[in-house]
Amino acid sequence: MTDLKTALVTGANRGLGLEIARKLAARGDIRVLAAGRSARTAGEAAETIGPRAAGVTLDLADPQAAEARAVEIEARHGPVDILVNNAGVMPSGDVLAADLREFNTAMRVNAAAPYALTRIFGAGMKRRGWGRIVNVSSGWGSFAEGLEGPAAYAISKAALNAVTVQCARALGGQVKVNACCPGWVRTRMGGPQATREAVEAADTPVWLATLDDAGPTGGFFRDRAPIAW
């Protein structure tokens, strides 16, 4: 990448999203739009990241509103070249005990909203002939790994994996669309017992966000290595 690109990172106000945004901005050839649910949290994230960042408000609880907001963001900030769908929620409960409202929220935030953002930003990337989309998923959303973990989270991440495959196929080889499992990350969601710091977990998402033209698309990765869906 030689020219300045614009990356939008959802959930960039803390934890893994903040670290991904920080690493992208530190490259020097990427301007970061740090997305948060409120102007305050997004602005604070941008201040933390530095001069190559701007805060944008983006609430993923309503995917249709998020799609409309994506159009507004590009109108104000210019084309988005890199999209990192990092924001997520993890309700508790097994498959028979999960609260249906929380299940629906997980499906909206973890799968439907990333799909909506990919539709808007991905279409522009395809027209321009370059783009990178990274869906921060989880091994708990992998059929190969048994769909472990809380039911709503696992099912919604499996849906996000399906979004990845379908969108990679639709957007073609010049727009790289991949999913990744960052591992068990020590964040507010992951908890203090988690085994991985955000600075380490951010490596694979940043790698996928900055792939060269020979890089993969339509894959699922952990520690830069492919894993099974």
Side-chain angles (χ1 to χ4, degrees):
M1 295 163 53
T2 56
D3 55 330
L4 186 66
K5 303 291 187 184
T6 297
L8 186 144
V9 182
T10 67
N13 52 298
R14 64 173 183 267
L16 179 58
L18 180 59
E19 192 59 43
I20 292 170
R22 184 184 287 119
K23 284 181 176 290
L24 289 172
R27 288 173 53 93
D29 57 355
I30 297 174
R31 179 178 64 121
V32 172
L33 302 179
R37 283 185 295 176
S38 72
R40 179 184 62 80
T41 58
E44 289 173 352
E47 288 181 9
T48 299
I49 295 163
R52 289 194 178 276
V56 296
T57 56
L58 185 60
D59 188 346
L60 305 183
D62 183 341
Q64 286 184 305
E67 190 173 62
R69 179 67 180 135
V71 174
E72 295 173 353
I73 288 170
E74 285 207 312
R76 179 174 180 180
H77 296 278
V80 168
D81 307 292
I82 300 166
L83 170 64
V84 181
N85 287 311
N86 162 78
V89 295
M90 187 170 64
S92 60
D94 64 27
V95 71
L96 298 182
D99 183 281
L100 186 57
R101 290 169 298 181
E102 292 184 346
F103 176 87
N104 287 335
T105 297
M107 292 300 293
R108 290 195 301 270
V109 174
N110 295 353
Y115 168 62
L117 297 181
T118 297
R119 281 160 46 101
I120 296 300
F121 296 131
M125 295 175 192
K126 187 173 183 178
R127 286 194 303 270
R128 296 188 298 273
W130 196 96
R132 303 290 181 263
I133 298 172
V134 182
N135 293 324
V136 179
S137 184
S138 171
W140 281 350
S142 166
F143 282 87
E145 297 183 15
L147 292 173
E148 299 290 343
Y153 184 77
I155 292 169
S156 62
K157 289 298 187 178
L160 179 61
N161 289 347
V163 168
T164 303
V165 173
Q166 287 274 344
C167 289
R169 186 182 304 147
L171 292 173
Q174 291 179 306
V175 180
K176 312 292 186 184
V177 186
N178 293 288
C180 66
C181 170
W184 187 18
V185 188
R186 195 172 293 119
T187 61
R188 192 170 77 175
M189 180 185 290
Q193 294 80 29
T195 57
R196 180 168 284 193
E197 297 290 347
V199 64
E200 178 187 3
D203 177 72
T204 297
V206 170
W207 169 66
L208 291 171
T210 56
L211 288 171
D212 62 30
D213 291 342
T217 190
F220 192 16
F221 296 86
R222 181 189 287 125
D223 295 330
R224 300 196 182 194
I227 59 176
W229 296 107

